[in-house]
């Protein structure tokens, strides 16, 4: 069972970024399209053109010979043309910016993929750096003949070589980096990263200055039955009225609604002011403790509610919000620390010093999730070492581009570096999310930013098997286990942990009496919930101390006991600040990237001649058909 994260990820869904490269061109006849300047010209731009020969050369560089047949489609060829145009746009940008002539180049290159590895040189470098003997390739082929079926050694040779290279590359990269470090002159003053932790007085001072941020709305502790209506309101209201009569006649909430599978029963639930539709609040918060109210409608459901307790609005104590306060004060201290000590040298690399301020600039430009990963003195030290390694590798990589045997490959690698530099400087470096913007987002979406209820459980899982007999035995075992746990009136059930060790087939939890170590609940991640939601739904309807009857899910039977439960709560700005920043950053990235694309296309006056590509594809199809007929003959 996956341990779900807080549901903020689903509530503040990151807006998908759009590529800055070309996207608006589509195939289809256009009577008003301009004619190409020559029969083989597929695109023109200010100062140049792209021909079918350029497209074929680019395919030769990027697509293995054995895959060329699959690359002869309209869609693939259009992608190649767009790639060539994007190269020209990058070259035009670089010619104006001249990033390779100053420190901006080194600075921008540092933003390249954190996982930059030797395969930036592609297979050309592997031929020299990681040679694989022919005898090794043959030995692998002979030892794994069944893996290759009818394929000959010659047909499988390159695949095997790449497999063997991939196996050895991690160790080679480690050795390679060790050699770079050994040959470089590096000094470190990482004690500058030991930011003092917040003091108790600092925590109290921040708490007093921001008490309003820790306010809790009034809450109602209730027993309730919610009856959604799917057909007519009249029939649903009548059902709710019948349930209310049963409760007034002495039935428990669970007993009164037991015959209605769609009913949602909650006992002792804490509901904050403003979470439910307004009619709920106006009906419940005007009741007196112990009162059982009449049936009322809120949203698309009818409710029956007994008010157990009204909890007034209050300010949470420092002990309750200490983790939030500690994180906020730590961020403030961090900014002040780097400002005060920024001019000091954090490390030197081959005689060149890098200040703490330069390092902090790199840290601030990182994505939010990476800043969280590297937070704290230990994480900052790890990041600084990683930055040193990356700078060593980038310097060595760029210097070696000139030594790559294939000049087109070197040019393609250089273009990839320039392309990432361009996006970094023209898009990412211009994104600035202010605190005011995050506060405005929070204020607008506050009612939706609710941490859902979570439970801590222990469970028994019994596999249903693959045959009718196995399923029958599994159901008998589940019934037997449940009978021991819930033997009936006036009889005491067996200890859950003991029964779990005897019956549960979940090896990870059975040894621990069936107990999951973490809290579970709806995560807000739609991909996770595709598989986990049914389990969460079944478990979250149980009250603490309750053992649910066996239920079937994903080929197994489950018996669950809820140990503890939390209720929904409105998240504070500090709780969701990183998620809000991610969402706004993504949104701003998409906007700036689209603007950059539009500007580059307009400046370059790009025109694609679809008719030339369509004619070329038809010619390739006729050629392939003729070859096939000749082969048959």
């Amino acid at each position: 069972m996956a341990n779900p994260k807080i549901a903020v990820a689903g509530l503040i869904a990151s807006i998908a970024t759009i590529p800055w490269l070309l996207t608006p061109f589509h195939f289809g006849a256009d009577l008003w399209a301009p004619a190409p300047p020559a029969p083989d010209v597929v695109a023109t731009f200010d100062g140049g053109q792209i021909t079918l020969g350029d497209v074929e050369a680019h395919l030769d560089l990027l697509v293995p010979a054995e895959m060329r047949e699959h690359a002869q489609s309209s869609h693939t060829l259009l992608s190649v043309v767009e790639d060539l145009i994007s190269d020209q746009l990058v070259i035009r940008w670089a010619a104006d910016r001249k990033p390779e002539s100053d420190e901006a180049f080194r600075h921008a290159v540092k933003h390249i993929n954190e996982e930059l590895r030797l395969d930036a040189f592609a297979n050309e470098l592997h031929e020299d750096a990681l040679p694989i003997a022919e005898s090794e390739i043959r030995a692998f082929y002979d030892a794994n003949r069944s893996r290759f079926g009818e394929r000959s050694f010659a047909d499988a040779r390159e695949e095997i070589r790449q497999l063997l290279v991939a196996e050895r590359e991690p160790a080679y990269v480690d050795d390679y980096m060790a050699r770079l470090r050994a040959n470089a002159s590096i000094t470190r003053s990482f004690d500058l990263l030991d930011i003092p932790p917040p003091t108790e007085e600092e925590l109290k001072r921040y708490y007093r200055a921001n008490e309003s941020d820790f306010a809790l709305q009034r809450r109602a502790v209730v027993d309730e039955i919610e009856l959604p209506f799917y057909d007519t309101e009249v029939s649903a209201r009548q059902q709710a009225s019948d349930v209310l009569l049963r409760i007034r006649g002495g039935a428990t909430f669970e007993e009164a609604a037991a015959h209605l599978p769609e009913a949602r029963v909650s006992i002792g639930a804490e509901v904050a002011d403003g979470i439910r539709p307004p009619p709920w609040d106006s009906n419940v918060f005007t009741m007196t403790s112990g009162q059982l109210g009449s049936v009322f409608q809120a949203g698309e459901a009818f409710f029956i509610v007994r008010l157990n307790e009204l909890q007034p609005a209050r300010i949470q104590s420092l002990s309750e919000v200490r983790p939030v306060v500690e994180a906020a004060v730590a961020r403030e201290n961090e900014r002040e620390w780097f400002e005060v000590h920024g001019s000091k040298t954090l490390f030197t690399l081959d005689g060149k010093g890098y200040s703490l301020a330069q390092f902090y600039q790199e840290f601030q430009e990182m994505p939010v999730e990476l800043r969280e990963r590297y937070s704290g003195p230990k994480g900052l030290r790890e990041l600084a070492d990683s930055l040193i390694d990356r700078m060593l590798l980038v310097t060595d990589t760029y210097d070696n581009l000139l030594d790559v045997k294939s000049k087109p490959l070197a040019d393609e690698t250089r273009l990839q570096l320039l392309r990432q530099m361009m996006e970094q400087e023209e898009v990412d470096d211009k994104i600035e999310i202010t605190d005011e913007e995050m506060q405005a987002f929070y204020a607008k979406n506050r009612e939706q930013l609710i941490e859902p209820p979570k439970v801590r459980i222990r469970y028994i899982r019994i596999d249903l098997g693959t045959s009718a007999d196995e399923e029958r035995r599994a159901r008998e075992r589940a019934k037997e286990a449940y009978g021991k746990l819930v033997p009936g009136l006036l009889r005491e059930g067996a200890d859950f942990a003991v029964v779990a060790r005897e019956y549960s087939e979940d090896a990870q939890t059975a040894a621990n009496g069936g107990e999951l170590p973490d809290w579970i609940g709806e995560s807000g991640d739609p991909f996770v919930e595709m598989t986990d939601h049914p389990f969460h739904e079944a478990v979250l309807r149980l009250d603490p101390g309750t053992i649910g009857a066996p239920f079937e899910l994903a080929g197994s039977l489950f018996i669950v006991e809820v140990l503890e439960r939390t209720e929904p709560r409105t998240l504070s700005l500090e709780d969701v600040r990183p998620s809000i920043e991610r969402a706004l950053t993504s949104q701003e990235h998409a906007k700036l990237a689209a603007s950059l694309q539009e500007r580059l296309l307009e400046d370059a006056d790009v025109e694609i001649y679809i008719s030339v590509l369509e004619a070329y594809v038809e010619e390739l199809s006729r050629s392939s058909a003729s070859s096939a007929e000749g082969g048959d003959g």
Side-chain angles (χ1 to χ4, degrees):
M1 184 67 55
N3 296 328
K5 300 176 182 177
I6 201 167
V8 177
L11 295 167
I12 311 177
S14 295
I15 302 168
T17 58
I18 63 172
W20 64 268
L21 300 180
L22 310 176
T23 55
F25 302 104
H26 304 283
F27 273 92
D30 186 351
L31 297 177
W32 305 105
D40 68 335
V41 174
V42 293
T44 56
F45 53 89
D46 184 17
Q49 62 184 23
I50 295 170
T51 66
L52 290 172
D54 296 326
V55 173
E56 291 176 343
H58 203 60
L59 280 171
D60 289 337
L61 176 66
L62 300 179
V63 181
E66 61 272 17
M67 298 294 293
R68 282 296 299 274
E69 182 179 348
H70 303 289
Q72 295 177 355
S73 69
S74 301
H75 177 75
T76 302
L77 292 174
L78 179 58
S79 297
V80 172
V81 173
E82 292 178 353
D83 193 36
L84 287 168
I85 291 174
S86 77
D87 288 347
Q88 294 300 322
L89 297 181
V90 169
I91 290 169
R92 289 166 64 91
W93 173 83
D96 293 336
R97 178 68 180 80
K98 295 182 173 57
E100 293 167 278
S101 65
D102 57 28
E103 282 299 312
F105 177 68
R106 296 294 183 190
H107 170 77
V109 169
K110 286 189 295 182
H111 291 278
I112 295 172
N113 184 358
E114 296 285 344
E115 301 299 325
L116 180 64
R117 296 175 8 166
L118 293 182
D119 52 12
F121 300 125
N123 291 336
E124 300 280 338
L125 285 182
H126 287 150
E127 294 283 357
D128 296 330
L130 293 172
I132 305 296
E134 195 70 17
S135 58
E136 295 177 88
I137 301 175
R138 169 63 73 173
F140 187 94
Y141 177 79
D142 292 339
N144 298 274
R145 290 298 296 270
S146 60
R147 175 175 181 170
F148 300 103
E150 299 298 321
R151 296 171 65 189
S152 66
F153 172 73
D155 185 39
R157 180 189 176 282
E158 180 58 22
E159 179 183 331
I160 295 171
R161 189 190 72 79
Q162 291 181 11
L163 283 171
L164 295 176
V165 165
E167 284 181 2
R168 297 182 187 180
E169 188 177 40
Y172 180 84
V173 170
D174 289 343
D175 292 342
Y176 180 79
M177 290 306 307
R179 290 196 300 272
L180 287 182
R181 294 186 201 107
N183 293 330
S185 174
I186 305 171
T187 63
R188 297 173 174 85
S189 299
F190 283 2
D191 56 309
L192 289 172
L193 299 174
D194 294 333
I195 305 170
T199 66
E200 189 67 22
E201 182 53 38
E202 287 174 325
L203 298 181
K204 291 178 180 177
R205 187 164 56 247
Y206 181 92
Y207 172 77
R208 287 193 296 267
N210 297 275
E211 273 191 344
S212 60
D213 291 343
F214 308 121
L216 286 179
Q217 303 107 311
R218 60 176 180 168
R219 292 169 179 261
V221 182
V222 301
D223 302 335
E224 74 170 1
I225 297 173
E226 179 183 358
L227 279 169
F229 50 82
Y230 305 108
D231 299 322
T232 65
E233 295 183 26
V234 175
S235 61
R237 181 180 289 277
Q238 184 58 54
Q239 286 181 329
S241 298
D242 292 343
V243 170
L244 179 60
L245 284 174
R246 294 186 184 191
I247 295 173
R248 287 177 172 163
T252 65
F253 273 57
E254 297 94 332
E255 292 169 345
H259 65 294
L260 297 173
E262 70 275 15
R264 299 166 189 162
V265 181
S266 300
I267 305 298
E270 285 189 20
V271 183
D273 191 359
I275 288 182
R276 299 284 179 78
W280 196 97
D281 289 354
S282 59
N283 277 276
V284 174
F285 283 100
T286 55
M287 294 167 62
T288 58
S289 295
Q291 180 181 350
L292 175 64
S294 301
V295 173
F296 65 88
Q297 181 182 346
E300 296 184 352
F302 289 102
F303 288 85
I304 301 165
V305 177
R306 176 193 291 136
L307 177 65
N308 297 326
E309 179 187 357
L310 274 179
Q311 297 178 349
R314 67 181 182 87
I315 302 295
Q316 297 176 85
S317 67
L318 175 57
S319 61
E320 291 177 285
V321 296
R322 179 175 287 271
V324 174
V325 173
E326 286 177 343
V329 175
R331 283 193 296 270
E332 287 185 359
N333 288 356
E334 178 185 277
R335 285 192 290 269
E336 183 178 344
W337 176 272
F338 281 108
E339 184 178 337
V340 171
H341 300 281
S343 61
K344 297 179 181 178
T345 299
L346 179 63
F347 63 84
T348 62
L349 184 57
D350 292 332
K352 180 173 177 57
Y354 293 86
S355 70
L356 191 63
Q358 288 175 298
F359 171 79
Y360 192 50
Q361 178 186 352
E362 292 290 332
F363 179 70
Q364 289 179 307
E365 290 177 0
M366 291 169 62
V368 177
E369 58 270 19
L370 284 178
R371 293 208 305 270
E372 293 175 352
R373 171 183 166 187
Y374 290 115
S375 62
K378 181 180 179 182
L380 292 173
R381 286 170 180 262
E382 181 185 344
L383 176 62
D385 271 328
S386 175
L387 178 60
I388 290 172
D389 283 352
R390 191 151 41 103
M391 292 173 69
L392 286 171
L393 183 56
V394 165
T395 300
D396 192 68
T397 298
Y398 193 70
D399 290 344
N400 277 289
L401 283 179
L402 300 177
D403 297 329
V404 177
K405 286 186 287 187
S406 168
K407 186 177 184 301
L409 177 65
D411 289 342
E412 186 65 27
T413 306
R414 174 176 167 274
L415 280 167
Q416 291 294 334
L417 294 177
L418 290 174
R419 183 174 286 113
Q420 293 187 56
M421 288 171 54
M422 177 177 160
E423 182 160 0
Q424 178 66 41
E425 292 197 19
E426 298 292 337
V427 177
D428 294 338
D429 284 352
K430 295 182 179 179
I431 295 175
E432 183 178 354
I433 306 302
T434 66
D435 194 59
E436 290 74 16
E437 289 175 311
M438 287 192 279
Q439 290 178 8
F441 183 99
Y442 177 77
K444 181 179 179 181
N445 298 280
R446 187 172 184 272
E447 293 183 359
Q448 302 174 52
L449 300 178
I450 306 296
E451 182 182 42
K454 294 180 291 185
V455 292
R456 198 166 61 81
I457 67 168
R458 49 187 179 183
Y459 69 91
I460 295 167
R461 184 182 67 80
I462 299 174
D463 192 346
L464 282 168
T466 56
S467 68
D469 284 344
E470 289 176 342
E471 180 178 344
R472 177 179 52 77
R473 285 194 295 270
R475 294 189 184 280
E476 289 175 354
R477 280 174 54 77
K479 183 179 180 180
E480 184 178 302
Y482 184 67
K484 290 184 177 182
L485 294 168
V486 187
L489 293 174
L490 305 179
R491 298 176 61 189
E492 185 175 349
D495 182 80
F496 194 100
V498 173
V499 178
R501 293 188 185 99
E502 180 182 356
Y503 287 89
S504 184
E505 297 172 7
D506 189 312
Q508 290 184 324
T509 60
N512 195 35
E515 185 171 339
L516 276 177
D518 298 313
W519 294 78
I520 68 169
E522 303 288 3
S523 68
D525 184 329
F527 296 102
V528 171
E529 291 307 321
M530 285 174 66
T531 55
D532 289 358
H533 176 70
F535 187 84
H536 295 157
E537 191 174 40
V539 168
L540 288 168
R541 64 177 53 154
L542 298 175
D543 296 320
T546 303
I547 298 175
F551 64 91
E552 180 180 339
L553 184 65
S556 293
L557 294 170
F558 291 87
I559 303 171
V560 176
E561 178 185 23
V562 172
L563 302 174
E564 293 181 76
R565 176 189 179 96
T566 66
E567 292 306 321
R569 72 177 181 94
T570 302
L571 296 162
S572 70
L573 174 59
E574 291 305 318
D575 288 331
V576 296
R577 184 182 293 273
S579 297
I580 292 176
E581 187 173 358
R582 276 194 295 271
L584 294 178
T585 297
S586 234
Q587 185 177 17
E588 186 66 12
H589 184 282
K591 185 171 71 174
L592 290 177
S595 176
L596 173 63
Q597 170 184 318
E598 184 178 346
R599 173 165 56 84
L600 291 175
L601 290 173
E602 183 177 342
D603 291 347
D605 195 21
V606 173
E607 186 73 53
I608 293 182
Y609 305 103
I610 301 300
S611 60
V612 176
L613 282 177
E614 289 176 332
Y616 180 62
V617 171
E618 289 177 6
E619 181 183 341
L620 290 175
S621 298
R622 285 195 298 270
S623 219
S624 297
S626 298
S627 298
E629 290 174 4
D632 293 340

